[in-house]
Amino acid sequence: MQSLYIFAGILAVVATQEYIEIDRYPDWYVQPQEEHLRHRRQLSVDKSGDVTYAHGSPNNKVFGTLGSRGENLFGKLGYQHNFINDDRGKLTGTAYGTRVLSPYGNSNHLGGRVDWAGRHTAASLDVSKQLHGPTSIQAAGGAKWPIGRNGEMSLQGTYNRFGGMQDYGGRLGYIHRF
């Protein structure tokens, strides 16, 4: 019965917060001066409940994520730098590290990624190393060329390696818009 009273009290407090609006601060409350204000952290929570952080300029960015999936906890921290971003294309490099805590074993990964995107081409290379474990390499590239007024030809290729397993892929396509 006591838990019912506690639940009703919490419900009343929550409902009251919806309907009370404070127009001004009480006289006894002194607002901090502008120069003494602390900068707010730029944390956000996405749909899955993960907490993310991103800070930096358009060319440099530090990012991080803390979250969980089932019984696993994970954290990721990285740095991203834009080397080229002009009419030639965009070249971005990223260095990152992850830590996963799991009841089935913990793991640490260090990695780096390079991405290129041009007007008609795109390519990426991601190399990561699990500490005391295998190395993973993922590479992909593609290009498209306009043919005539309504046609387009594309070529894509992929390469994946995890430990001793390797996987190759390729695709050639032609699109004509009538």
Side-chain angles (χ1 to χ4, degrees):
M1 191 66 171
Q2 185 179 8
S3 61
L4 184 62
Y5 290 128
I6 293 172
F7 177 72
I10 292 173
L11 187 63
V13 168
V14 170
T16 304
Q17 288 179 352
E18 287 290 322
Y19 296 107
I20 294 177
E21 291 185 25
I22 298 175
D23 294 336
R24 65 180 186 86
Y25 290 102
D27 295 334
W28 53 266
Y29 180 79
V30 179
Q31 279 189 307
Q33 298 298 323
E34 185 71 28
E35 64 268 5
H36 298 295
L37 286 177
R38 211 176 76 181
H39 295 288
R40 288 185 62 95
R41 292 185 181 102
Q42 298 173 349
L43 296 176
S44 63
V45 178
D46 61 10
K47 293 179 183 177
S48 64
D50 299 341
V51 177
T52 60
Y53 172 79
H55 181 73
S57 67
N59 288 331
N60 305 318
K61 182 170 73 168
V62 174
F63 59 91
T65 302
L66 292 173
S68 66
R69 298 284 186 274
E71 298 175 338
N72 302 329
L73 297 174
F74 66 89
K76 182 174 185 176
L77 181 65
Y79 173 75
Q80 184 177 43
H81 183 77
N82 290 336
F83 295 103
I84 298 172
N85 191 2
D86 56 18
D87 59 347
R88 296 174 291 174
K90 183 175 181 180
L91 178 64
T92 304
T94 307
Y96 60 88
T98 61
R99 170 85 169 143
V100 178
L101 301 174
S102 169
Y104 310 108
N106 305 329
S107 66
N108 299 313
H109 295 263
L110 296 175
R113 180 178 181 91
V114 177
D115 292 304
W116 168 261
R119 186 172 162 187
H120 295 289
T121 61
S124 66
L125 173 65
D126 189 339
V127 179
S128 67
K129 169 74 173 153
Q130 180 179 352
L131 298 183
H132 308 294
T135 300
S136 171
I137 299 174
Q138 296 177 345
K144 62 181 178 179
W145 299 274
I147 298 176
R149 294 177 71 183
N150 298 328
E152 181 177 281
M153 185 172 160
S154 65
L155 176 65
Q156 300 169 359
T158 61
Y159 171 75
N160 297 313
R161 187 180 91 190
F162 183 74
M165 299 182 295
Q166 293 185 13
D167 179 29
Y168 302 91
R171 179 178 172 191
L172 177 66
Y174 178 75
I175 298 173
H176 185 78
R177 292 178 276 294
F178 293 98

